Amino acid sequence: MIPYFNEEGSADAVNGRMGPDVDPRLAEIFTALVRHLHAFAKEVHLTQEEWEAGIAFLSRTGQICSEERQEFILLSDTLGLSMLVDAINNRRPLGATENTVFGPFHVDGAPVRQMGDSISLDGKGESCLYEGRVIDLNGEPIDGATVDVWSDNAEGFYDVQQPGIQPKWNNRGRFVTGSDGKYSFVGIKPVSYPIPDDGPVGKMLSHLGRHPYRPAHMHYMVTAPEFRKIVTHIFVDGDPYLESDAVFGVKKTLIASFEPIQGDIAWRSPFDFVMVPEEHRS
Ligand code: BEZ
Ligand code: FE
């Protein structure tokens, strides 16, 4: 172990200071973090000015955080890290519904509604019937599954982004399946919208020649006793941002059809959620 710092052995000099009784997982994470951080600085030959710009960027990211705004998660989302951590921790067998990014706009405790009810309280947007089943890998219906849903409104904002403008719980609700595993509700056909881009992350995207848009989606969190939680969205097929989602949330299996239908409701989007038993890990 080298006691003094030099360029070549820089990571070893730092990691060599680790105390003897450090929690093994913490030691593993920090050793790798230092190794990769130093390798990164060497690979790009980081200049003093660039280091200062990086510190200033991270400072601004922290300074804009509040109870309502988590710019660091947005940074993780836009760097693809949130999707990577989700992928590492939610490997599922073929046929099971895939997870995607949770996002900042879920609210606990949305009203439990009856099957077929509408979640659109502002009467805006194109109505859409969402229906399908919650089933297991054998196609058997799951009784007592909670289907928690949320989406933006016709202008691309969640109710929590517009308190006092949108009704509370607009475009949100929970639905509990019966023994047939079926769910259905009426919402709007969601629209694509930009992630909050008035802070350092928005500026970063613009410097990188990236737009801040997410393709239109309906969020779902599906839970059932003894099954692994699904946190996902369904995406509107044909959306222009499907292949350039600002947070990399799109997976092919989550692109859903939206069919025009006759009658009072304009659209129908069928989608089944396939759950994996709790003990299944891969
Ligand atoms: C969302 O889909 O609500 C979302 C996800 C990640 C960042 C911002 C918004
Ligand atoms: Fe969203």
Side-chain angles (χ1 to χ4, degrees):
M1 191 207 310
I2 52 163
Y4 303 116
F5 195 94
N6 63 35
E7 184 177 332
E8 199 190 344
S10 64
D12 292 340
V14 176
N15 282 331
R17 294 280 175 91
M18 188 87 66
D21 302 321
V22 176
D23 173 83
R25 180 64 176 155
L26 185 68
E28 182 184 1
I29 289 173
F30 264 81
T31 305
L33 176 68
V34 169
R35 196 165 4 98
H36 287 277
L37 191 61
H38 285 229
F40 154 73
K42 289 173 189 181
E43 181 182 322
V44 301
H45 192 141
L46 199 66
T47 67
Q48 192 70 32
E49 293 72 29
E50 290 160 348
W51 175 84
E52 278 167 21
I55 296 288
F57 171 74
L58 290 174
S59 302
R60 283 195 302 277
T61 301
Q63 283 154 358
I64 205 172
C65 286
S66 67
E67 274 299 310
E68 289 80 36
R69 178 157 186 167
Q70 230 306 351
E71 194 80 356
F72 274 111
I73 295 185
L74 208 57
L75 179 59
S76 162
D77 295 343
T78 49
L79 293 178
L81 181 63
S82 307
M83 282 301 290
L84 176 60
V85 172
D86 187 70
I88 292 168
N89 290 282
N90 290 288
R91 294 179 187 132
R92 288 177 191 160
L94 210 64
T97 300
E98 296 190 90
N99 254 32
T100 190
V101 64
F102 187 45
F105 299 126
H106 177 261
V107 182
D108 278 335
V112 176
R113 304 186 194 278
Q114 296 302 307
M115 288 302 173
D117 276 359
S118 176
I119 59 169
S120 168
L121 308 181
D122 62 0
K124 293 181 181 167
E126 297 177 45
S127 56
C128 179
L129 172 66
Y130 294 84
E131 59 183 357
R133 290 191 313 155
V134 182
I135 54 179
D136 65 18
L137 281 166
N138 301 317
E140 296 298 327
I142 297 177
D143 192 359
T146 299
V147 180
D148 189 343
V149 302
W150 65 106
S151 85
D152 59 348
N153 74 350
E155 274 108 46
F157 294 103
Y158 290 85
D159 59 351
V160 289
Q161 294 176 285
Q162 295 189 312
I165 297 175
Q166 288 190 44
K168 193 169 161 67
W169 306 119
N170 192 29
N171 294 309
R172 297 178 189 275
R174 284 183 291 166
F175 298 85
V176 182
T177 61
S179 55
D180 58 5
K182 287 186 179 165
Y183 75 88
S184 66
F185 64 94
V186 177
I188 62 160
K189 187 181 179 199
V191 300
S192 41
Y193 63 85
I195 59 169
D197 65 341
D198 57 344
V201 169
K203 210 170 239 175
M204 174 191 83
L205 292 180
S206 146
H207 281 304
L208 295 175
R210 286 171 55 182
H211 67 71
Y213 279 84
R214 299 217 61 212
H217 56 273
M218 174 64 72
H219 288 263
Y220 286 86
M221 180 158 71
V222 185
T223 50
E226 293 166 31
F227 286 89
R228 293 182 62 191
K229 175 160 76 177
I230 299 173
V231 174
T232 199
H233 331 328
I234 63 168
F235 293 91
V236 178
D237 196 8
D239 188 283
Y241 297 110
L242 282 176
E243 293 183 1
S244 62
D245 182 1
V247 299
F248 305 94
V250 181
K251 292 177 177 175
K252 208 167 173 205
T253 60
L254 300 177
I255 300 174
S257 71
F258 281 69
E259 312 151 353
I261 52 174
Q262 301 297 321
D264 294 344
I265 300 171
W267 298 89
R268 171 178 176 266
S269 183
F271 198 89
D272 287 344
F273 293 92
V274 183
M275 303 190 84
V276 174
E278 190 58 74
E279 72 272 13
H280 188 281
R281 295 272 157 197
S282 58

